[in-house]
Amino acid sequence: ATSALEAIVIATREIGMAINDTGPKEFYRIERGTRGDSVIVDAIVSNGGCGSALAHLLISADESVAMMGCAYSLSLISPLLTDPRGSSRALQLCTSSASSGMGFGASDDGLMSYRQAALSLVVGEDASGATKSEVSCLPSFAHIIRSGTYESWGGQSRSLKLQVVAAECLAAIALAVGHVVGGCESGLKSQNDLYRRATCALELMEQERIFEIAHRIVTSTACNSLDPSRNTPQARLREAAGLMLLALASCSSVSASYLISNRAISGLLSIAGEAGMLSAPSGLRGEWASRGLCFVEASTTLLIQAWKNTRRTCDLPSSAPVNLLIEALDAGAVGIASIVVKSKVDLKRHDYAYSQIRVKIAVCYMLAAIFGIARADDAQAVGTSRLYGAIDADCAASLAFGDGKDQRTSVMSSTSGRLDLVASTAALLRATFLYAQQQAANENTSEPLPMIDLTEASLLAFGGMCGAKIGCFASGTIRSSSDDSCGMLMKSSDFGELETDKYSIMRQDACTMACDVLSMNVDQGKLLPSVLIGSLGEGCIVPLLRLILAIAQNGQHELRGELLRTGAIVCVSDMMQQSLQAGDRYTFSTSIAIIRLCGPCLSIGDSGTITSLQNAIRTLSAVLSISEQGGSINQQQTNTLASLKLESLLALEALSNNVSLHNSISSDALPALGMLLKREKGQMQSSDGESESMICSALKTIQRIASSNAELVVRSGIASTLVECLQGSPGTIQEVSSQLLHDLASVEHSGATEMRGVLLTSGVLEGCASVISDKGVLPHTTMLCLEIIELVVSNAPTSPETSRRVIQSMNGQESFLRVLIATMMSSERKRLVDGCIATGSDHDQQLNIQPLYGEPLQLDDDGSSSAVRILTKLSFLLCSDAEGGKLFEDALMLRNVRGSSVVVSIACCVLLDIWRGESNGIGEQGSLAAQSILVESLSSSLEESMSSSASSNHAEAIIAVFKVPELCLAMCQSQSLAQAAFDLFEAVVLPLPTIKDVSASNRMRRVFCYAKQSELGDVLGDGTMMTQVDSQYSLASDPETAALSSLPATRTTLVSTDNINALQLTHSAGSKQIPFVGGNNTITVLFSAPLVWRDGENEYHPIELLDFELEKSLLRQCFTEASRSIDLSYDNATT
């Protein structure tokens, strides 16, 4: 019965192929799957033809019985080996994304019946379709081939022929399992029964350690042959083992880890590099495949898995990917790839051409993986260094030993002239594009060459050579509902500008070659747009997008404009919208990145590209508007959406550099940007770097738009959101938002006044005030906020509404007003101290007070002047209303602060001194009201200071320095201020002693100060001692008595009657001589009245008549208060 079934299946298959044979006669089609025999296979499987009875046949000790069972099993599943469709998509499935439609569920390739049969041999299935895992033929197959590889195996060694057939069955089963497990879309895994059966079969194969058995066969010396081209049983057995490794490495992490740890890559490449292995036809699969193809594909699969692991978020392989890269390079991967890429395809022999193209496809995928691993090793660049070193060595060997004159000429004619692997791959890409276009145009070909697959592989390989950061295998969709912790990690930084290194020049050369290929014309027009719309099939679209992105990222800036001129951006814009709807994360992010990098290079006049970019702006704005709230959104989706929003923001920021797109961004993206700013600011945590990046990017985009559409930005209502970003944000956000607000406030045009009114009503004033009050703000940000307030307040429309809005803004901003007052006092104190020193007064000591208003702002002279102007304007606006006047008075008076009367007095005097006669263009009402409040505050604070002995000296100094009596007289000229000025004069000035008393008191105090602070000077020859005192103690330096005395021009000498001690006091241009008083208490005062004085240029000047009586009175009063018995006499001095 078994033999009969086998014969029926084989006969039906051959008859079906003979009837439907429409291809070339020389093409090998025997043992391919057909619709007729697949129906018979389905019937056999559904009726238990792969169940326990077959398993019993396989474990039979009789070789003929076991061979019968193996042959029967192989007849059911042999098309998986002999049909190119059985293994042609293995590498594509490894490198494509889960959402690209490359899985088996996308379309039926005609081999699904044989895959069902292969799974039934492992897990079993009854008539109802229920899986019966206890029935399996797998252990029997494993037992047969294990007997020939393990010397310690206890059973009888099976014949080599039986081992070959059993190995072929296992190879077909492994290919079926790998196709189903590797090709099922992640969203359908839980719902797909076929996937569950394949997973169960894979677990059984791992338990039986099929990967270990296959690896032993491959590395066994018994399978080696002096002539690899001979179709021996050993060669068939090793090839079957290679197919097992290929399939298991693509879908089993356990198998891949074992092979990587046992350095299987070097062994597989060594076998592939044997003479004739890549050209001799396979005895197992047919002439369409070379004997070494499976070994190249297996090693490539392991490299692809290592490449994937560089992007995973979980710990997978035991060895670092860069170690595998070095292992492959040491095994001669570059040399093998160089030979294969440069080899010509003999299109006259269909089978052989098919075989050559399949090898080229495998090598291109290997190159993509090698360059991908090297690119991921950015930190040390060890892999990159070794890779380019191997390429240079291969180039040198090629030039030294030669590959044939014709070949060198053909390669060099289409590249930059350098005969290396990169240039050869560029030539291959150009050629495959042309052949693939011709093949796509001829749809009647029954058995076409896999030229489109080669184009896809070449695009992947050259994308890696151009420096692509991420592969097309990145998993995860926009709307993925599963939290796959081992999924591919895609970062927003992968799709932006990349940092340069010492190998960037090599990538730039590759990008230039690639751009030349993509810019070429074909019969239908430009090549690039036609491929992007699917002229070569969907499989080439994503690799082409990856290559375009690599060129834009790593190529010279001029290449972006070249790509833009091909019209590709139109297709990319459409693909971005379609991928967003389909949930394809990789395609969407890649499209955004291409638009971000190439869009700013748009030149005016290309209406089609401009329209596409405008559509892209609408799509990006829609992404920004997507809400992250909702019960159906998990954390993974939230993180993915946040990354997409960041990429969209960066794209809009880049597009905003193009002025021709400002109107589109303003109308479509500006509302979304405002909503995003408000949302991100509300959700931002203290250490949320991604939210900070998003906010900064949105602010920079708006800032660029504001350069041409400031009025539209202001009227959009985004100013209030900018104020929120300004308050309580990190320094970077504060700086960018303050700069943006400054740009909006400083715009000068016909509607500028109205715009500043809008800014005032948007809370700009209180926002900037709160930032200035914060001590941790950067100085540059503080200065920007001051300028914003000055621009808004000084240029706001004059109206009661403006005053009310200012009052509302300053409600609760008492600390800000006090900071401005402190800054004003700090800047004015230096001027006052310099004035005191210049006049010889010591009142500067009385002005050295505590900063009760707070720490002043650290500003330069211009910044301090700006703070004073802002304080002036705000005070006038506040005091124009009773409520605002109270706010200003509360900030000024420092109520409930002990000992603040002196500080308040100085602040009032400084402000009055600044405001005297100023209205600053806002009308008299606010100015007079503010001055009236200041005069009343000064009166109360001075009165309080003078009533205290601790502060009375300060109060007198304030009255003297700021000339309060003169201030009162000046303000009496204003009817509005007359009463307040009179009250101040009556309360503070009138209670003071008379001017004469004040002068006498000050001078007596000064003389005693001289006596206390004097130091012994030179001793005169006659015993008279002299003391020198600084000019700050000049009797005439007192502002109260300077007008009443002319002592600075008087030379007065005091001599004791017994001439024992002498005191000489000299008042001249900068020195005084003060005596040491001792001996008798008799003092004679000699007066002289010079008529003229001589300056440094020997010119004489007249001197007014001196008041000797006043001098006598002062001296008498001084010595009287000394409480000493002194005999004082006066006389005229003679010379």
Side-chain angles (χ1 to χ4, degrees):
T2 303
S3 299
L5 288 174
E6 178 187 355
I8 291 173
V9 171
I10 294 175
T12 306
R13 187 173 298 151
E14 292 180 355
I15 293 172
M17 291 299 299
I19 295 175
N20 298 321
D21 187 8
T22 57
K25 294 182 179 180
E26 68 274 16
F27 192 67
Y28 184 76
R29 303 176 63 88
I30 303 300
E31 297 186 359
R32 300 287 184 87
T34 63
R35 184 175 301 177
D37 73 282
S38 63
V39 174
I40 297 177
V41 171
D42 287 337
I44 293 174
V45 172
S46 62
N47 287 277
C50 299
S52 58
L54 179 60
H56 288 300
L57 287 177
L58 294 174
I59 62 175
S60 173
D62 190 340
E63 288 286 329
S64 61
V65 175
M67 176 61 75
M68 185 182 302
C70 289
Y72 163 71
S73 301
L74 184 60
S75 67
L76 298 178
I77 58 177
S78 61
L80 297 177
L81 298 175
T82 58
D83 196 313
R85 295 171 293 180
S87 58
S88 62
R89 308 298 293 177
L91 297 178
Q92 284 90 332
L93 293 177
C94 288
T95 56
S96 62
S97 65
S99 58
S100 61
M102 296 295 296
F104 69 87
S107 61
D108 187 3
D109 58 0
L111 300 180
M112 194 57 64
S113 297
Y114 311 111
R115 295 190 181 101
Q116 292 276 12
L119 295 179
S120 298
L121 289 174
V122 180
V123 296
E125 185 180 50
D126 59 13
S128 62
T131 300
K132 296 165 62 176
S133 58
E134 69 274 5
V135 178
S136 177
C137 299
L138 181 65
S140 301
F141 292 129
H143 165 73
I144 294 172
I145 63 174
R146 187 185 286 115
S147 64
T149 56
Y150 287 78
E151 297 179 357
S152 60
W153 181 251
Q156 179 184 3
S157 178
R158 297 303 184 104
S159 65
L160 182 58
K161 183 178 180 181
L162 179 61
Q163 293 179 32
V164 171
V165 179
E168 292 177 0
C169 291
L170 281 178
I173 293 172
L175 288 174
V177 172
H179 181 87
V180 175
V181 174
C184 186
E185 299 183 17
S186 58
L188 302 176
K189 290 180 179 180
S190 60
Q191 306 172 4
N192 196 292
D193 180 67
L194 183 62
Y195 176 79
R196 290 195 296 267
R197 295 182 63 211
T199 304
C200 181
L202 181 60
E203 293 176 356
L204 292 176
M205 298 182 77
E206 291 175 349
Q207 293 174 8
E208 293 291 338
R209 300 189 68 81
I210 302 299
F211 54 85
E212 183 177 355
I213 299 173
H215 183 252
R216 281 180 175 269
I217 294 174
V218 168
T219 57
S220 174
T221 56
C223 294
N224 293 337
S225 175
L226 295 177
D227 185 7
S229 62
R230 291 180 58 195
N231 187 17
T232 62
Q234 290 86 353
R236 292 174 64 93
L237 180 61
R238 186 169 68 169
E239 186 177 356
L243 288 172
M244 295 182 215
L245 295 180
L246 165 63
L248 293 176
S250 65
C251 62
S252 171
S253 59
V254 176
S255 303
S257 298
Y258 173 84
L259 295 175
I260 289 173
S261 61
N262 284 274
R263 298 180 60 84
I265 292 178
S266 58
L268 294 170
L269 289 176
S270 298
I271 295 173
E274 294 177 1
M277 286 296 290
L278 296 179
S279 58
S282 170
L284 180 64
R285 295 197 278 179
E287 294 184 2
W288 60 268
S290 65
R291 188 163 298 170
L293 175 61
C294 62
F295 302 105
V296 178
E297 291 179 333
S299 59
T300 300
T301 302
L302 291 175
L303 288 171
I304 291 174
Q305 296 298 335
W307 182 22
K308 285 184 176 182
N309 292 337
T310 62
R311 308 295 307 182
R312 292 187 184 273
T313 58
C314 65
D315 298 330
L316 266 181
S318 57
S319 300
V322 68
N323 294 336
L324 297 181
L325 169 62
I326 296 174
E327 179 185 347
L329 295 176
D330 292 340
V334 171
I336 295 174
S338 179
I339 294 173
V340 172
V341 169
K342 295 175 184 178
S343 64
K344 293 183 178 180
V345 177
D346 187 3
L347 297 176
K348 296 180 181 180
R349 300 166 56 190
H350 192 278
D351 295 353
Y352 186 62
Y354 200 103
S355 173
Q356 287 182 301
I357 293 175
R358 284 292 298 269
V359 175
K360 286 181 180 290
I361 291 173
V363 166
C364 286
Y365 277 108
M366 181 174 66
L367 290 175
I370 287 176
F371 277 92
I373 295 173
R375 189 71 172 113
D377 181 38
D378 286 336
Q380 293 81 20
V382 176
T384 305
S385 176
R386 290 290 303 272
L387 175 57
Y388 282 108
I391 293 175
D392 290 338
D394 176 75
C395 179
S398 177
L399 293 174
F401 300 105
D403 292 331
K405 180 178 179 181
D406 295 338
Q407 182 176 335
R408 288 197 300 270
T409 304
S410 62
V411 172
M412 295 178 64
S413 63
S414 59
T415 62
S416 60
R418 181 177 177 180
L419 187 62
D420 64 355
L421 183 59
V422 178
S424 302
T425 308
L428 176 64
L429 179 62
R430 180 186 295 271
T432 54
F433 263 133
L434 297 176
Y435 278 106
Q437 287 281 348
Q438 296 175 5
Q439 186 179 97
N442 187 9
E443 300 178 354
N444 297 324
T445 304
S446 58
E447 290 287 350
L449 294 175
M451 198 63 71
I452 294 179
D453 293 341
L454 179 58
T455 304
E456 178 183 348
S458 301
L459 288 171
L460 281 176
F462 215 73
M465 294 176 179
C466 292
K469 188 71 173 178
I470 188 172
C472 303
F473 48 73
S475 67
T477 60
I478 297 176
R479 294 186 293 269
S480 177
S481 59
S482 60
D483 186 9
D484 184 10
S485 61
C486 292
M488 303 303 165
L489 179 62
M490 285 191 287
K491 305 175 184 177
S492 298
S493 58
D494 295 332
F495 302 96
E497 298 280 355
L498 300 181
E499 298 181 358
T500 59
D501 54 27
K502 61 181 180 180
Y503 301 104
S504 297
I505 186 65
M506 300 181 181
R507 300 189 187 101
Q508 288 180 1
D509 292 342
C511 291
T512 302
M513 299 178 193
C515 192
D516 291 341
V517 174
L518 298 182
S519 301
M520 66 181 182
N521 295 323
V522 292
D523 295 338
Q524 294 81 6
K526 289 289 185 181
L527 170 68
L528 192 54
S530 64
V531 178
L532 286 175
I533 62 177
S535 64
L536 299 184
E538 295 183 0
C540 293
I541 295 177
V542 175
L544 181 57
L545 281 177
R546 176 174 176 264
L547 176 58
I548 295 173
L549 176 59
I551 296 173
Q553 286 179 316
N554 302 284
Q556 297 180 356
H557 188 75
E558 294 78 10
L559 298 182
R560 300 178 182 178
E562 187 68 25
L563 291 173
L564 205 64
R565 285 188 288 273
T566 62
I569 205 71
V570 178
C571 303
V572 172
S573 177
D574 294 338
M575 292 173 61
M576 182 180 68
Q577 185 175 2
Q578 295 170 5
S579 59
L580 177 62
Q581 296 173 352
D584 186 354
R585 166 73 192 282
Y586 180 84
T587 304
F588 181 71
S589 296
T590 305
S591 302
I592 289 179
I594 294 173
I595 291 175
R596 170 188 172 186
L597 297 173
C598 299
C601 303
L602 175 68
S603 59
I604 300 176
D606 191 350
S607 58
T609 304
I610 291 179
T611 303
S612 299
L613 290 178
Q614 291 173 345
N615 294 333
I617 291 171
R618 297 187 188 96
T619 303
L620 296 175
S621 304
V623 174
L624 298 181
S625 303
I626 298 176
S627 176
E628 300 175 4
Q629 305 298 326
S632 60
I633 300 180
N634 57 25
Q635 186 61 40
Q636 184 188 13
Q637 291 173 324
T638 301
N639 296 338
T640 301
L641 184 57
S643 299
L644 292 179
K645 287 184 177 181
L646 179 57
E647 295 167 16
S648 301
L649 276 174
L650 294 175
L652 287 173
E653 180 184 352
L655 293 175
S656 63
N657 290 316
N658 196 320
V659 181
S660 60
L661 299 174
H662 279 193
N663 289 334
S664 180
I665 297 176
S666 300
S667 59
D668 297 325
L670 192 57
L673 290 172
M675 293 172 57
L676 182 133
L677 283 175
K678 186 181 293 292
R679 184 169 57 249
E680 291 297 325
K681 181 60 176 66
Q683 298 175 357
M684 185 177 65
Q685 304 296 328
S686 58
S687 59
D688 192 351
E690 186 169 296
S691 293
E692 182 176 350
S693 300
M694 294 177 68
I695 293 175
C696 289
S697 179
L699 291 173
K700 292 177 182 177
T701 304
I702 299 172
Q703 186 176 11
R704 292 194 181 100
I705 299 173
S707 62
S708 58
N709 293 323
E711 185 174 0
L712 180 61
V713 172
V714 173
R715 295 187 184 281
S716 67
I718 207 171
S720 58
T721 306
L722 298 179
V723 173
E724 294 180 10
C725 294
L726 187 63
Q727 296 174 305
S729 299
T732 306
I733 296 178
Q734 281 188 336
E735 186 174 3
V736 178
S737 55
S738 60
Q739 184 64 59
L740 175 54
L741 285 170
H742 185 274
D743 293 345
L744 295 176
S746 58
V747 173
E748 295 293 343
H749 56 77
S750 57
T753 302
E754 186 178 355
M755 281 178 54
R756 292 180 181 119
V758 175
L759 291 176
L760 182 61
T761 59
S762 300
V764 172
L765 190 57
E766 52 261 48
C768 293
S770 63
V771 170
I772 293 173
S773 302
D774 189 358
K775 295 181 180 179
V777 179
L778 297 174
H780 179 64
T781 304
T782 301
M783 191 62 203
L784 285 175
C785 290
L786 278 175
E787 293 177 1
I788 292 169
I789 294 177
E790 184 175 8
L791 288 169
V792 172
V793 173
S794 301
N795 299 299
T798 303
S799 63
E801 178 62 28
T802 300
S803 300
R804 285 194 296 270
R805 184 55 195 163
V806 171
I807 293 171
Q808 293 176 3
S809 301
M810 288 295 102
N811 191 8
Q813 298 295 336
E814 186 177 281
S815 59
F816 167 66
L817 293 174
R818 290 179 176 177
V819 167
L820 292 181
I821 296 174
T823 304
M824 174 201 64
M825 294 178 65
S826 176
S827 61
E828 290 295 318
R829 184 186 180 281
K830 183 177 183 301
R831 181 181 63 82
L832 296 173
V833 170
D834 292 343
C836 292
I837 294 175
T839 59
S841 173
D842 64 347
H843 289 319
D844 60 298
Q845 303 296 326
Q846 310 296 336
L847 298 177
N848 189 12
I849 56 177
Q850 296 181 353
L852 299 182
Y853 283 105
E855 293 294 332
L857 298 175
Q858 301 300 321
L859 305 171
D860 55 12
D861 293 341
D862 293 338
S864 299
S865 301
S866 176
V868 172
R869 290 194 298 269
I870 292 172
L871 178 61
T872 300
K873 180 68 175 182
L874 288 177
S875 302
F876 290 169
L877 290 173
L878 288 174
C879 294
S880 62
D881 184 85
E883 181 183 357
K886 185 177 184 305
L887 290 175
F888 175 69
E889 186 178 0
D890 291 341
L892 177 68
M893 288 303 293
L894 293 176
R895 293 186 175 91
N896 301 324
V897 178
R898 185 176 180 181
S900 62
S901 58
V902 174
V903 181
V904 174
S905 300
I906 295 176
C908 294
C909 289
V910 171
L911 278 173
L912 284 171
D913 188 49
I914 294 173
W915 293 354
R916 189 181 303 176
E918 292 186 5
S919 61
N920 290 309
I922 51 92
E924 293 291 334
Q925 181 180 359
S927 174
L928 295 176
Q931 293 186 54
S932 177
I933 292 176
L934 279 182
V935 172
E936 294 173 1
S937 301
L938 176 61
S939 178
S940 61
S941 58
L942 277 178
E943 188 175 1
E944 181 181 352
S945 299
M946 295 182 66
S947 63
S948 173
S949 59
S951 59
S952 59
N953 294 338
H954 293 280
E956 293 177 6
I958 292 170
I959 295 172
V961 172
F962 292 100
K963 302 177 182 179
V964 174
E966 180 182 345
L967 181 66
C968 294
L969 293 176
M971 287 188 295
C972 286
Q973 299 176 6
S974 172
Q975 183 177 0
S976 301
L977 300 176
Q979 184 60 44
F982 180 77
D983 293 341
L984 172 63
F985 186 85
E986 186 178 30
V988 177
V989 179
L990 289 181
L992 292 174
T994 63
I995 294 179
K996 183 175 181 179
D997 293 339
V998 171
S999 301
S1001 176
N1002 286 342
R1003 289 188 179 279
M1004 287 186 289
R1005 187 182 305 110
R1006 196 65 53 81
V1007 171
F1008 280 109
C1009 182
Y1010 297 160
K1012 293 178 182 178
Q1013 299 183 10
S1014 63
E1015 298 177 357
L1016 293 178
D1018 299 331
V1019 179
L1020 301 177
D1022 56 358
T1024 304
M1025 295 185 180
M1026 196 72 64
T1027 300
Q1028 301 294 333
V1029 183
D1030 192 89
S1031 62
Q1032 64 178 329
Y1033 298 108
S1034 173
L1035 294 178
S1037 63
D1038 229 83
E1040 305 89 77
T1041 59
L1044 305 176
S1045 174
S1046 54
L1047 276 175
T1050 304
R1051 180 178 178 85
T1052 305
T1053 304
L1054 291 81
V1055 184
S1056 60
T1057 55
D1058 56 0
N1059 292 324
I1060 297 177
N1061 294 314
L1063 172 64
Q1064 186 179 44
L1065 178 62
T1066 302
H1067 297 281
S1068 58
S1071 65
K1072 297 161 287 295
Q1073 295 174 342
I1074 300 181
F1076 174 78
V1077 182
N1080 299 332
N1081 294 331
T1082 301
I1083 296 178
T1084 300
V1085 180
L1086 303 179
F1087 286 99
S1088 66
L1091 299 179
V1092 295
W1093 64 278
R1094 185 172 59 186
D1095 59 16
E1097 297 179 359
N1098 293 327
E1099 294 183 2
Y1100 291 89
H1101 303 275
I1103 298 176
E1104 297 179 359
L1105 182 65
L1106 306 178
D1107 190 349
F1108 293 121
E1109 293 301 321
L1110 177 60
E1111 297 291 340
K1112 291 179 181 180
S1113 175
L1114 294 175
L1115 287 173
R1116 179 178 296 279
Q1117 183 68 22
C1118 177
F1119 289 116
T1120 300
E1121 292 183 0
S1123 302
R1124 298 287 298 274
S1125 177
I1126 298 175
D1127 187 7
L1128 182 63
S1129 63
Y1130 302 92
D1131 202 349
N1132 295 322
T1134 60
T1135 59

